[in-house]
Amino acid sequence: MRQAGTGTGGAAVAVVVPVAVPLLLLLLLARSPPAAAGDGQKNDARLVSEQFSQAPQKLAFYSWYGSARLFHFRVPPDTVLLRWLLQVSRGSGPTCTNVEITVYFRYGAPPVINPLGTSFPDNTSVQPSFFLKMLHSNASINISHPAPGDWFVAAHLPPSSHKIEVKGFVPTCAYIFQPDMLVVRVVEVSILDPDVPLPQTLLSHPSYLKVFVPEYTQELRLELQGCASNGSLGCPVRLTVGSATLPGNFQKVLTCSSPTQACHLLLPSPPWDRWLQVTAKSLAGPRVSVAFSAVAALTACRPWSVNFQHLLQSTPNQSSNASTVLLPPTPSYQDLDRTGRVGGGSFCLRSFPVLREDVDVVSVRFQPLDRVSVVVQSDMPSVMRLNLNTGMDSGGSLTISMRVNKTAIANTSVVACVTAASPLLSFNASLSCTTAFFQGHPLSLSASSPTANLIIPYPETDNWYLSLQLMCPERPEECEQASVLVETTLNLVPCLNDCGPYGQCLLLRRHGYLYAGCSCKAGWRGWSCTDNSTAQSAAQQKAAALLLTLSNLVFLAPIAISVHRSLLVEASVYAYTMFFSTVLFLLGTLVFAMSLQLDRRAAWNTMGPCLFAIVVMVTMWVYRCGRRRHCYPPSWQRWVFYLLPGISMAAVAITIYTSMMTSDNYYYTHSIWHMLLAGSAAFLLPPREQHTKPWACSQKLTCHYEICKNHRDELYTVT
């Protein structure tokens, strides 16, 4: 039983009926590539298959992001089919039942998941995750034309019950998860040069093309010219442009069928400085050839760069405002080609160089090169590029904060758009923040809201762009000569606000990849520990702390009884336990104490000392019974009023410790455990020896001076 879900369309994704994984691998490697990559009737020599695998991991019940098991893969370029092979194995014990496993997939960064349905911090932009739910079975999932680069898979068991169990005392079940990645890629791809028609003929196999999109490309136009099917008019061709990404899939599909209308596709703000995949497939019947010429036209724009050369020439004691100094394009700009150079054309953006400062692991600070505000005008957008393509930047959170002076933006507004791969170059009236293959994150500043904030958890590995432009919706003429200074604060942080006062930011690792997550406490939940729906109040936290500490004072009863009965060793042990349990830290050099700190809930850490004590007590009991010639203790009062209550309290304490403790009621159940344990010790202490006086131990300790008196008579000599 499986269920796939996502917030966006998943036309490029297909779930395959589960079969045995080894058999599935043999079938995939033995047969020709599937129809998604070509025609399954004949082998396509241009396609090769490769397989990648990682070591399996033991799944855990979900309580926070660290409970999910993360897998990191890299998809090679020119891949036309990606197939995930998901294998789950479990133990054979009686507790190993069918458990629903949730598997997430995402391109460019770890998936942002929320199985507990908690709230995210304000101003956080989160896309719905693409996931697959499966029981104890093997499954596979296909993705056609996947984007090359980093892909992440995360898996976990259902939400945890937060029950605290003693390891080895309660049987558990291990669920092992292992994903394998099988890719089918093209080894022969036709290069589509700008403005150069490329003749193609389709018969049984599709045509694989790619075009390079250099930096500062404003628009890409793809067109099919001279299309004919077996010599007649008509163009039964389907173009698939771009690569599939998850959770959002923004591939463009163009179906050409009309013999009279031109077949073309217009892509504003295509991704810069990379190859763009184009697949042409015939929609005609078998043995019907389709001939056409593919043409790619690139529209270049010229960036108006801010001149910061004077900053390099100035002395450290000199300073200047470089945000208002603009540099016209130099004469070295030429026509746009595959080398990425820019030629004639109107200016399309105002580029502000940004300094990247690496602060720590998954911690980066971005700021304009001259550390001043950004000039925003209405004629063209002001663009800042944030370099997040090192491969180690996707494990944190990108925070963007903007502020503007209220008086400078009285009758105007500043609109902004945060995108990856390419900036938004044309702001329209609808304020759509969408490029060719990316849905951006919109922001706005006005007199009523002079500040704007944006949080993007786990940003994709890419170059990110912040585009800003001045808008005058009511009076456009007022914006012609106006300019506004916008202060920006751009950071990549491991955790937002360091997870706040009720959380701890932990750095997680999967092989060489590092990512951060928040571990919450005191009932707080959420991505950054900001969800207080189940949080404990300050009074509850104080009461819990007092219960855990003051409940140890019950040990004063067995201490006093031990001293009264001259049991100094027992009194010392109980006093030691009470003191170090009160400060919530157990010290000692004994093996039992050290092992208890290493694993507080291991069964033998508790059962070992208990069994050792039971063996000693039983041995001494048998020895004394044999020596006294009768069973000990001989009186029924000792059994009824001391031994049975003590044993009952100890049994209840062990039951609470092993089966009733959870993360939510730990403060109360553990305090009850303290009191029951101390009470049972008071009842089970042996009686005082018959010839020993009460509090005799104090008489054994001579802690005072004695005045010696000589009772002998003194003899005097009379002379």
Side-chain angles (χ1 to χ4, degrees), residues 217-231:
T217 299
Q218 187 173 7
E219 191 176 73
L220 170 62
R221 177 186 174 92
L222 293 174
E223 184 177 0
L224 300 185
Q225 299 177 352
C227 188
S229 176
N230 278 358

Side-chain angles (χ1 to χ4, degrees), residues 594-651:
M594 294 174 60
S595 61
L596 188 63
Q597 286 299 104
L598 292 176
D599 195 346
R600 299 179 64 89
R601 300 186 180 94
W604 285 105
N605 285 344
T606 304
M607 298 300 297
C610 293
L611 292 177
F612 180 77
I614 290 174
V615 170
V616 172
M617 287 190 298
V618 170
T619 303
M620 293 302 299
W621 182 77
V622 172
Y623 170 76
R624 291 194 175 187
C625 289
R627 184 178 180 182
R628 296 177 180 179
R629 306 288 183 177
H630 60 78
C631 185
Y632 174 84
S635 62
W636 63 269
Q637 292 91 343
R638 190 70 188 175
W639 282 98
V640 173
F641 296 110
Y642 293 95
L643 296 183
L644 291 181
I647 294 174
S648 301
M649 295 178 69

